[in-house]
């Protein structure tokens, strides 16, 4: 490696991450567009000289003297070429070794003042040179024999070298030496130092290669053994399958379970036949796994295995009262069944359907009923089910077939007499795959379900011992044949007092337990509970009320934690010492009383406001009552009569039934117009506009018929309607008032608004007598049979 005469000059700096350039070496380097490429282009403009050094710190963008090696090579740029991928190709020839003596950070990039730094000259005799050459050549040969990744012709090329200096240069250029070792060779003081470093590096690399080779050999040996074992196992499987011996152990286990199975002899015979088929089937047969899955399912079903039922009526009553407030009809029906079971052991299990608004306890009471009857509880959710196979199961010819949800529920329960909850019966769907509600006809028919056949099981399954309990929000979407097979028990909305009792007895203790609070830490006043019911929830059930109570509990816990932190900070400032344990205890001991005054601090502003009734009678305005799936509500129907051409306009998102009811009512009004001295041509010269506020809410049904007739007649005659009266009932074209449903919810809605007088169809008299006195208290209920009575009660003359 010849070196030029002594130089001392300033050059642009190119710092490289993984390349060391030596004097006498010609290297092709690709630089990404940036400072290094800029330095190469500047060097080409300023005389083609550049200082190339190894970068020590690869993470920094701006170079400092400490980021690069002090010793590098001054080189000459022979060629510079721009490449299309934002790269610059530079060909550099190393001239001489240099050392940085000063550093300059210029705007265009880094420069270094470099002094010529040649190696020390060492005089060697011919014998010493020969000894060094032979030793280095021997080490090189061994290195080439160990390294398997080098080209085959490289060994021959190296063996033809006869000069020590040339051999050292070729080793540095051609052999894979790590970059840090290359820099150490460049920094060596003389040829002897370079020789010693090369010997040390190659010997170390050979040791690394030897150890790596040993490890690779061990890994390969292990892989070969594993592969051999795998092949042998696969061959053994094939041989056993050909001999029919692969399933023998499984078949013996299955036969043993059949003998222990509590089932009829017909069922056991069918299972034995399937085991025989499985035994005679090869292991590679795709049907083998299907048969095995089928056998395991049959063995897991509780054919004749049932749980012992509780017929202690007193204990059952205590359990039902413990977990749920109200729901008297449901509790009474369950106790009736238990009373019959005490007399008749094979009494027919009831098939009940609980129908009511969300949050009234339909689903949760099922668990309590199961506990009261000492039966296993299984829930089958039917909401959104659209495939008949979900009920009857898939035939075994299909891939990944499985039993239907009814049989799967039996398998989950482990007994043949659980309480099975069919949740959301009214949410069943249907499509091209079949109608699941039709499949349920057999399931819920006590005369047929003793021999229900699931497509997957393909054997008669007795469902008659199951107590089926279904839930629904409405019966309108349940097919009539299916509805005919269940005993409907309607659950009405809770009154305010009922909600208070439920909150105090069930919801508050439950939420306090869930949030780790005790009665010493928090209490709820009755007025606060009533405000939560009236101003923060608007529902028929208590689900939102429970979430609201949980929100208060979380707020209390947060304020306690913040209070403890504040106390600790105050003590730190005062004394410089804090007892964290005592502080936490002090904060926890502070009892929080939730009252009407501080309720907004925990729940914010009111979400709902009570709707007030009109303070004085108005013309063309009448208040009706409506039932929805989430409880009752009031409808203030407004009517305007204007000069026009006899058009009737109806707005407020009214349904078809409600529109027809309004049309029938107007026909009735026209038939009695003479009674109220309405001109004969009034309806030809006036337009009538009927509107129900809250236009974004859909409204339908006939029960607002008498309300619309009253409002229209008031607008036509100019006679005001009393503001303290509300009404409900269907009207005919002859003016008769027909009965309606949902009376309890409607009366609750009227009471919340402050209505004291109700007009109810005479045919609903029995329904009114069945409503609790708590709801009827303070209300004047008037029974009406025709519109003459309605008008007499509603108009203010």
């Amino acid at each position: 490696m010849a070196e030029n005469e002594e130089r001392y000059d300033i050059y642009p700096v190119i710092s490289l991450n993984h390349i060391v350039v030596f004097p006498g070496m010609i290297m092709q380097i690709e630089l990404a567009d940036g400072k290094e490429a800029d330095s190469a282009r500047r060097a080409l403009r300023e005389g083609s000289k550049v200082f190339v050094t190894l970068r020590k710190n690869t993470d920094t963008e701006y170079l400092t003297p400490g980021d690069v090696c002090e010793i590098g090579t001054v080189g000459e740029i022979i060629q510079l070429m721009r490449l299309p991928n934002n790269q610059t190709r530079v060909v550099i020839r190393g001239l001489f070794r240099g050392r940085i003596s000063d550093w300059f950070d210029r705007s265009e990039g880094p420069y270094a003042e470099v002094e010529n730094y040649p190696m020390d000259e060492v005089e060697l005799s011919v014998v010493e040179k020969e000894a060094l050459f032979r030793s280095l050549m021997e080490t090189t040969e061994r290195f080439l024999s160990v390294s398997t990744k080098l080209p085959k012709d490289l060994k021959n090329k190296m063996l033809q070298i006869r000069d020590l200096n040339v051999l050292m240069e070729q080793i540095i250029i051609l052999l894979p030496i790590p970059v840090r070792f290359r820099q150490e060779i460049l920094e060596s003081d003389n040829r002897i130092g370079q020789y010693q470093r090369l010997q040390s590096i190659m010997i170390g690399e050979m040791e690394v290669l030897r150890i790596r080779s040993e490890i690779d050999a061990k890994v390969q040996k292990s892989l070969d053994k594993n592969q051999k074992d795998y092949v042998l196992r696969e061959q053994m499987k094939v041989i056993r399958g050909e001999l029919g011996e692969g399933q023998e152990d499984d078949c013996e286990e299955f036969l043993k379970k059949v003998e222990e199975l509590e089932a009829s002899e017909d069922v056991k015979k069918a299972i034995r036949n399937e085991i025989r088929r499985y035994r005679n089937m090869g292991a590679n047969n795709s049907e083998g796994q299907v048969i095995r899955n089928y056998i395991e399912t049959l063995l897991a079903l509780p054919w004749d295995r049932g749980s012992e039922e509780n017929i202690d009526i007193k204990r059952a009553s205590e359990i039902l009262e413990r977990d749920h407030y109200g729901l008297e009809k449901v509790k009474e029906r369950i106790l009736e069944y238990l009373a019959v079971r005490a007399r008749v052991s094979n009494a027919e299990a009831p098939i009940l359907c609980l129908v009511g608004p969300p949050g009234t306890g339909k689903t949760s009471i099922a668990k309590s009923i199961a506990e009261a009857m000492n039966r296993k509880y299984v829930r089958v959710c039917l909401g959104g089910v659209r495939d008949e196979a979900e009920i009857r199961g898939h035939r075994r010819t299909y891939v990944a077939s499985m039993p239907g949800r009814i049989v799967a529920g039996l398998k989950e329960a482990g007994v043949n007499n659980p309480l099975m909850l069919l949740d959301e019966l009214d949410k069943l769907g249907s499509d091209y795959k079949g109608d699941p509600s039709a499949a349920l006809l057999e399931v819920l028919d006590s005369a047929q379900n003793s021999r229900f056949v699931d497509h997957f099981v393909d054997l008669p399954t007795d469902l008659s011992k199951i107590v089926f309990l279904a839930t629904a929000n409405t019966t309108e979407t349940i097919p009539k044949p299916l509805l005919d097979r269940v005993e409907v028990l309607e659950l009405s909305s809770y009154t305010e007092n009922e909600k208070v009792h439920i909150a105090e007895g069930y919801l508050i203790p439950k939420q306090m337990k869930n949030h780790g609070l005790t009665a010493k830490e928090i209490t709820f006043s009755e007025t606060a509970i009533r405000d939560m019911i009236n101003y923060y929830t608007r529902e028929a059930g208590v689900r939102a009320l429970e979430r609201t109570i949980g929100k208060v509990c979380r707020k209390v816990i947060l304020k306690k934690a913040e209070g403890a932190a504040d106390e600790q900070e105050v003590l730190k400032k005062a004394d410089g010492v804090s007892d964290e344990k005592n502080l936490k205890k002090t904060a926890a001991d502070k009892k929080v009383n939730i009252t009407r005054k501080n309720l907004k601090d925990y729940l914010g502003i009111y979400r709902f406001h009570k709707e007030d009734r009109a303070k004085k009678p108005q013309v063309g305005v009448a208040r009706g009552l409506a039932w929805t799936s989430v409880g009752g509500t009031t409808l203030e129907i407004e009517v305007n009569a204007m000069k026009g051409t006899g058009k009737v306009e109806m707005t407020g998102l009214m349904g078809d039934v409600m529109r027809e009811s309004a049309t029938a009512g107007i026909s009735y009004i026209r038939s009695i117009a003479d009674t109220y001295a309405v001109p004969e041509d009034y309806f030809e010269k006036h337009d009538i506009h009927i509107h129900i506020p809250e236009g974004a809410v859909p409204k339908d049904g006939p029960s607002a018929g008498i309300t619309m007739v009253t409002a229209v007649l008031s607008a036509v005659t100019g006679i005001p309607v009393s503001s303290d009266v509300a009404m409900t009932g269907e009207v005919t074209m002859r003016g008769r008032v027909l009965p309606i449903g949902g009376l309890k919810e409607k009366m609750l809605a009227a009471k919340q608004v402050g209505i004291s007088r109700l007009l109810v169809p005479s045919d609903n008299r029995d329904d009114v007598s069945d409503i609790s006195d708590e709801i009827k208290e303070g209300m004047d209920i008037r029974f009406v049979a025709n519109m003459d009575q309605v008008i007499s009660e509603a108009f203010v003359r």
Side-chain angles (χ1 to χ4, degrees):
M1 288 180 275
E3 296 179 352
N4 288 2
E5 65 278 5
E6 185 174 347
R7 293 176 179 273
Y8 191 86
D9 210 341
I10 297 175
Y11 305 100
V13 177
I14 294 180
S15 60
L16 303 176
N17 289 332
H18 306 292
I19 299 175
V20 177
V21 178
F22 285 81
M25 181 185 296
I26 297 177
M27 294 201 67
Q28 178 178 289
I29 304 169
E30 290 192 2
L31 303 173
D33 281 354
K35 293 186 178 299
E36 310 304 330
D38 292 343
S39 295
R41 285 189 283 270
R42 287 198 313 273
L44 194 62
R45 291 194 302 266
E46 297 172 3
S48 301
K49 300 294 189 300
V50 67
F51 180 67
V52 184
T53 184
L54 181 67
R55 183 189 286 243
K56 293 189 292 186
N57 185 0
T58 59
D59 297 331
T60 182
E61 181 179 357
Y62 301 98
L63 288 179
T64 64
D67 296 328
V68 298
C69 293
E70 183 183 11
I71 296 175
T73 300
V74 174
E76 180 183 17
I77 297 178
I78 301 174
Q79 185 182 25
L80 187 144
M81 181 185 303
R82 292 291 298 272
L83 301 178
N85 56 348
N86 294 327
Q87 297 279 326
T88 300
R89 179 177 295 166
V90 181
V91 179
I92 298 177
R93 179 173 59 217
L95 298 178
F96 58 88
R97 192 172 74 155
R99 183 171 64 181
I100 298 173
S101 61
D102 203 354
W103 186 272
F104 306 98
D105 284 319
R106 297 180 181 176
S107 58
E108 58 271 24
Y111 281 76
E113 186 179 60
V114 180
E115 62 175 320
N116 188 7
Y117 191 62
M119 289 191 296
D120 298 335
E121 294 293 336
V122 178
E123 293 294 335
L124 296 174
S125 64
V126 176
V127 176
E128 289 175 330
K129 286 184 179 182
E130 183 65 22
L132 292 177
F133 173 77
R134 292 183 182 182
S135 176
L136 187 58
M137 178 61 77
E138 182 181 345
T139 305
T140 304
E141 289 180 6
R142 287 192 290 128
F143 182 84
L144 291 172
S145 64
V146 173
S147 181
T148 58
K149 295 183 180 181
L150 295 176
K152 294 181 179 179
D153 59 343
L154 182 61
K155 182 176 181 181
N156 295 330
K157 182 178 180 180
M158 297 293 289
L159 292 177
Q160 292 175 2
I161 299 173
R162 290 290 176 265
D163 182 73
L164 176 63
N165 292 338
V166 175
L167 178 61
M168 292 174 64
E169 288 179 358
Q170 293 301 313
I171 290 173
I172 294 172
I173 294 172
L174 299 176
L175 297 189
I177 299 174
V179 66
R180 68 178 186 278
F181 296 150
R182 289 178 176 272
Q183 182 64 27
E184 291 176 2
I185 294 170
L186 178 65
E187 294 179 358
S188 299
D189 294 334
N190 50 52
R191 289 292 187 192
I192 298 297
Q194 283 190 340
Y195 163 79
Q196 293 172 345
R197 196 72 195 98
L198 277 175
Q199 285 277 37
S200 174
I201 290 170
M202 285 195 291
I203 292 172
E205 287 296 306
M206 283 191 291
E207 184 65 18
V208 171
L209 290 173
R210 184 188 64 78
I211 295 172
R212 180 178 175 181
S213 178
E214 291 177 358
I215 294 173
D216 291 343
K218 290 179 181 178
V219 172
Q220 186 62 42
K221 184 178 179 181
S222 176
L223 289 176
D224 291 343
K225 184 178 185 304
N226 292 338
Q227 188 172 8
K228 179 182 177 182
D229 293 345
Y230 173 76
V231 172
L232 290 175
R233 288 194 193 98
E234 291 300 313
Q235 290 175 346
M236 289 177 66
K237 284 182 182 179
V238 174
I239 294 170
R240 285 182 176 177
E242 292 295 328
L243 295 175
E245 299 176 353
Q247 303 94 319
E248 193 63 35
D249 294 340
D250 293 339
C251 292
E252 292 299 326
E253 185 68 23
F254 288 153
L255 288 172
K256 183 179 178 181
K257 289 182 179 180
V258 170
E259 297 303 320
E260 299 172 354
L261 187 65
E262 298 179 35
S264 66
E265 194 55 39
D266 291 340
V267 172
K268 291 184 178 181
K269 183 179 177 180
I271 299 175
R272 290 192 190 100
N273 289 337
E274 292 298 324
I275 294 173
R276 191 177 301 112
R277 288 183 60 206
Y278 180 61
R279 172 180 282 160
N280 296 331
M281 194 163 291
N284 288 335
N285 194 316
S286 59
E287 195 177 351
Q289 188 58 38
V290 175
I291 297 176
R292 179 190 177 93
N293 184 33
Y294 179 52
I295 295 171
E296 290 174 345
T297 300
L298 294 182
L299 292 173
L301 287 177
W303 298 98
D304 292 338
R305 184 171 65 252
S307 60
E308 186 176 350
E309 191 174 25
N310 169 48
I311 54 175
D312 186 345
I313 297 178
K314 183 179 179 181
R315 176 178 175 273
S317 178
E318 290 174 352
I319 293 173
L320 293 174
E321 292 295 337
R322 179 196 68 194
D323 295 338
H324 289 81
Y325 181 84
L327 305 177
E328 301 301 335
K329 291 183 180 179
V330 182
K331 296 175 182 177
E332 183 181 3
R333 182 64 183 85
I334 296 302
L335 295 178
E336 288 174 356
Y337 167 71
L338 292 179
V340 174
R341 284 283 291 178
R343 286 176 172 264
V344 184
S345 59
N346 59 346
E348 190 176 279
I351 301 176
L352 307 179
C353 181
L354 309 182
V355 179
T360 51
K362 299 184 299 297
T363 303
S364 61
I365 197 175
K367 290 184 179 180
S368 299
I369 294 173
E371 183 183 353
M373 301 174 70
N374 194 33
R375 293 196 179 213
K376 292 291 184 67
Y377 170 76
V378 178
R379 177 176 175 265
V380 177
C381 184
L382 299 178
V385 172
R386 308 178 67 86
D387 188 357
E388 179 195 4
E390 292 284 343
I391 306 299
R392 285 193 175 275
H394 302 79
R395 298 191 184 277
R396 298 199 306 278
T397 53
Y398 295 104
V399 176
S401 58
M402 62 182 67
R405 296 196 179 197
I406 305 300
V407 173
L410 275 178
K411 181 180 175 182
E412 178 188 346
V415 292
N416 63 358
N417 62 341
L419 183 144
M420 187 171 291
L421 176 67
L422 304 178
D423 210 5
E424 308 293 355
L425 187 64
D426 57 328
K427 308 298 190 304
L428 280 172
S430 62
D431 59 13
Y432 67 94
K433 296 180 182 178
D435 186 357
S437 63
L440 280 174
L441 294 177
E442 181 184 356
V443 174
L444 299 181
D445 190 339
S446 56
Q448 303 179 45
N449 62 9
S450 60
R451 294 188 64 79
F452 172 75
V453 177
D454 183 277
H455 288 159
F456 181 85
V457 175
D458 205 21
L459 291 171
T461 307
D462 187 5
L463 306 181
S464 62
K465 298 177 182 178
I466 300 175
V467 174
F468 285 104
L469 190 66
T471 67
N473 296 128
T474 178
T475 58
E476 294 179 1
T477 56
I478 302 176
K480 297 301 179 184
L482 184 59
L483 192 62
D484 183 59
R485 282 165 167 76
V486 298
E487 181 180 345
V488 177
L489 296 178
E490 292 191 358
L491 306 183
S492 55
S493 305
Y494 289 122
T495 66
E496 182 178 324
N497 285 339
E498 286 175 334
K499 290 182 179 180
V500 171
H501 286 302
I502 293 171
E504 291 177 338
Y506 303 92
L507 304 183
I508 292 176
K510 178 183 175 182
Q511 290 299 318
M512 288 172 61
K513 181 180 179 181
N514 290 346
H515 292 83
L517 292 169
T518 64
K520 295 181 180 180
E521 295 179 284
I522 184 173
T523 58
F524 290 80
S525 69
E526 182 178 326
T527 55
I529 297 173
R530 291 186 183 275
D531 280 1
M532 281 191 279
I533 294 169
N534 293 322
Y535 301 118
Y536 293 96
T537 64
R538 181 167 289 180
E539 56 175 349
V542 293
R543 195 168 285 150
L545 178 60
E546 182 176 4
R547 288 195 293 266
T548 304
I549 294 170
K551 182 177 180 180
V552 173
C553 292
R554 292 191 296 273
K555 291 284 187 181
V556 168
I557 293 172
L558 177 61
K559 289 194 174 186
K560 282 177 174 290
E562 291 174 345
D566 292 343
E567 289 182 17
Q568 186 176 9
E569 189 64 29
V570 169
L571 284 180
K572 279 183 178 180
K573 291 180 179 179
D575 304 327
V577 180
S578 66
D579 189 341
E580 185 176 348
K581 183 177 180 181
N582 289 335
L583 281 174
K584 288 183 177 179
K585 184 176 179 182
T586 302
D589 285 343
K590 291 181 180 179
K591 190 172 185 178
V592 178
N593 298 313
I594 307 300
T595 64
R596 172 175 287 173
K597 292 182 179 180
N598 64 5
L599 188 61
K600 285 188 177 181
D601 297 338
Y602 297 93
L603 296 178
I605 60 174
Y606 291 160
R607 292 183 57 203
F608 304 101
H609 296 275
K610 282 190 175 182
E611 184 181 356
D612 296 328
R613 65 179 179 87
K615 294 183 179 179
K616 61 181 181 178
Q618 299 182 62
V619 174
V621 178
R623 186 175 292 275
L625 301 173
W627 179 92
T628 69
S629 61
V630 294
T633 185
T634 62
L635 296 175
E636 195 171 65
I637 298 176
E638 302 173 346
V639 178
N640 276 340
M642 306 153 287
K643 289 184 178 182
T645 58
K647 292 189 300 182
V648 177
E649 188 77 21
M650 302 179 195
T651 56
L653 207 57
M654 299 164 62
D656 292 338
V657 176
M658 185 172 279
R659 287 175 175 272
E660 291 176 359
S661 182
T663 304
I666 292 174
S667 296
Y668 166 74
I669 292 171
R670 297 183 69 170
S671 69
I672 63 168
D674 294 343
T675 308
Y676 293 91
V678 178
E680 291 184 4
D681 59 350
Y682 182 89
F683 292 97
E684 285 76 22
K685 295 182 179 181
H686 290 79
D687 293 340
I688 296 175
H689 187 167
I690 304 173
H691 177 69
I692 303 178
E694 298 185 15
V697 181
K699 309 166 191 73
D700 205 359
S703 63
I706 66 172
T707 314
M708 287 191 285
V709 171
T710 303
V712 172
L713 187 59
S714 170
V716 170
T717 60
I719 303 173
V721 180
S722 176
S723 61
D724 66 346
V725 88
M727 60 195 76
T728 180
E730 182 179 354
V731 68
T732 69
M733 289 181 64
R734 299 288 181 175
R736 290 188 300 116
V737 178
L738 302 183
I740 45 80
L743 193 56
K744 178 183 175 182
E745 285 79 7
K746 294 176 179 180
M747 292 177 66
L748 281 171
K751 197 165 189 177
Q752 286 183 343
V753 177
I755 299 294
S756 59
R757 189 153 49 107
L758 291 183
L759 304 185
V760 178
S762 297
D763 291 340
N764 286 112
R765 193 182 297 270
D766 291 339
D767 296 325
V768 172
S769 64
D770 197 33
I771 295 174
S772 65
D773 294 335
E774 177 191 339
I775 299 175
K776 294 185 289 187
E777 183 181 358
M779 303 193 77
D780 181 13
I781 301 174
R782 309 283 180 90
F783 295 100
V784 292
N786 52 61
M787 281 305 303
D788 290 339
Q789 294 176 351
V790 174
I791 294 168
S792 175
E793 292 286 349
F795 277 9
V796 178
R797 299 180 187 273

